[in-house]
Amino acid sequence: MAAQAGDGRRRARRSGTEGTLALRGAATRLGLKPGELELGVRLGVVRTVAGPEGRRRVPVAEVEHLRSAGGFPDALRERVRCVAATEGAALMGIGPARFTRLARAGCFSPVAFYVNRYRALVWLYPVAELRKFAEREPALLTGSTPRNLRKLLDAGEDWRARNWRSRRVAQLAREAENAWERAAVAAAVLGTDQLAEVVDDPYERAHLRRLRASLLPAKGEPPSSRPLVEPLLTADDPDEILWHRISLALCLDEARAEHPAPRPGEAGPPRPRCSPEPAPGTGREDPGAEPATGTGVRPGRIRSSGSERPTGRTDRPGPAGKPGSRGLRRRLHRSRSG
């Protein structure tokens, strides 16, 4: 037995997995389903580290820290719990229609989605954030919708997709191991034309494509869901596009200072690491799903308190939320209008 344990430790050291657990193993230790663990990672409740072969892993110390917290495992399960519109509305004591209007107006942000058997897009929202919103904004749960929100909704605005992209991009940026990977995260939500305007060098564009991070989990939606899912993956609001262009330009400055993009015949950094776990909520069914209007109208500005900076380091000098100088903004504006 001791010899087998020693062999296991030596194999772990050689593979670089010593002191960490695979996601499924960590989920078992934490009393969570794999999809619940994935939601915990997205919400920042469960910390992961890069592992071999592009897979994220959970440090054993992180697992023990979570297990030692008060109320385990029920308290942890509640922290990662996410619900669709019908259950979220019931939790907040409002009707599903009002819940959907508040979500479309960006009052709270979805963390994940899935396509149900009725081919409807179902957004999932963190229960903890819904409760905080209900406590903070009780006036929005009753009576008439405020005029400013009503004007946005009447104009067809829907901020769910943009807020989901913001969360996902922020998570991938935190997991990136170098400036080129952070730049690839910002590039992942830009269309081909937008990317070419910001990145003139074809070798740099090719390098960013090789490092391109997927906003979807490794086991994504089936091909039949692509018409609903693909529009969610690309920024389509002018303000959002400009924000990611500025983020990409800043990340590129940092990446070029580290090392240039490899030319043909040169070895580049490894590909980005993606979670092998299934998408949260995949296969669940919800006949009362929200209308999938987020796929057909422009997402709006990020308003939810749960949203984070789209990409880049948070320790970069300068005020938080100011990703670039005026000169950079003018340059990017000119490239868009030209």
Side-chain angles (χ1 to χ4, degrees):
M1 281 290 188
Q4 290 178 349
D7 290 342
R9 286 192 293 269
R10 283 191 290 273
R11 284 195 298 270
R13 281 195 294 269
R14 286 195 298 269
S15 63
T17 61
E18 187 178 23
T20 63
L21 295 172
L23 295 184
R24 286 190 179 274
T28 300
R29 289 276 295 157
L30 293 171
L32 300 175
K33 298 175 182 178
E36 290 176 324
L37 179 68
E38 174 67 20
L39 288 169
V41 172
R42 293 194 186 193
L43 291 169
V45 174
V46 181
R47 181 176 63 88
T48 63
V49 296
E53 300 179 2
R55 295 189 174 124
R56 304 296 298 180
R57 297 180 68 86
V58 182
V60 172
E62 175 75 358
V63 171
E64 296 307 315
H65 170 71
L66 293 169
R67 285 174 58 87
S68 66
F72 177 85
D74 294 338
L76 175 61
R77 197 172 292 120
E78 188 66 12
R79 289 176 67 192
V80 304
R81 181 182 164 211
C82 295
V83 295
T86 302
E87 191 175 352
L91 185 146
M92 298 171 71
I94 60 178
R98 180 181 286 268
F99 182 95
T100 298
R101 287 198 301 271
L102 292 173
R104 287 180 57 202
C107 294
F108 34 80
S109 302
V111 70
F113 66 85
Y114 66 94
V115 179
N116 68 11
R117 66 174 177 172
Y118 303 100
R119 294 185 53 75
L121 191 66
V122 181
W123 294 104
L124 299 175
Y125 303 87
V127 165
E129 292 180 11
L130 296 181
R131 287 196 172 119
K132 287 180 181 178
F133 175 81
E135 294 172 1
R136 189 177 65 249
E137 301 287 353
L140 293 179
L141 306 184
T142 59
S144 301
T145 303
R147 182 180 177 185
N148 59 333
L149 295 185
R150 192 166 58 249
K151 286 175 62 177
L152 291 170
L153 296 171
D154 290 344
E157 292 283 1
D158 188 341
W159 297 350
R160 291 172 294 182
R162 176 174 177 174
N163 284 354
W164 169 76
R165 281 191 296 270
S166 174
R167 279 187 183 272
R168 185 67 172 135
V169 165
Q171 178 204 346
L172 293 171
R174 289 194 304 268
E175 295 178 353
E177 297 185 319
N178 56 59
W180 279 108
E181 288 189 5
R182 286 191 293 275
V185 171
V189 293
L190 293 176
T192 303
D193 293 342
Q194 296 288 342
L195 181 61
E197 289 178 4
V198 179
V199 188
D200 298 329
D201 189 329
Y203 295 113
E204 290 183 342
R205 290 199 302 272
H207 189 46
L208 292 174
R209 281 194 294 270
R210 285 193 295 271
L211 296 173
R212 187 183 181 95
S214 174
L215 271 65
L216 297 175
K219 184 179 179 181
E221 299 291 339
S224 60
S225 301
R226 284 178 184 168
L228 282 173
V229 172
E230 287 186 351
L232 305 176
L233 307 181
T234 305
D236 59 0
D237 179 84
D239 289 338
E240 182 189 11
I241 291 170
L242 178 61
W243 174 260
H244 288 299
R245 285 167 62 108
I246 292 173
S247 295
L248 174 56
L250 289 171
C251 289
L252 280 175
D253 288 344
E254 187 180 350
R256 289 162 180 155
E258 289 184 2
H259 62 79
R263 265 35 184 177
E266 297 178 0
R271 293 178 65 91
R273 294 162 168 77
C274 300
S275 166
E277 299 297 337
T282 299
R284 294 172 60 186
E285 299 171 2
D286 181 7
E290 297 172 85
T293 54
T295 61
V297 298
R298 287 190 334 190
R301 186 180 305 174
I302 301 172
R303 292 168 53 94
S304 169
S305 60
S307 300
E308 303 181 45
R309 286 188 64 185
T311 69
R313 291 180 177 229
T314 57
D315 57 354
R316 187 177 290 115
K322 299 289 184 182
S325 65
R326 292 181 181 178
L328 177 59
R329 293 179 68 90
R330 284 198 296 269
R331 176 158 56 89
L332 291 173
H333 270 301
R334 283 199 300 271
S335 67
R336 289 173 63 205
S337 59

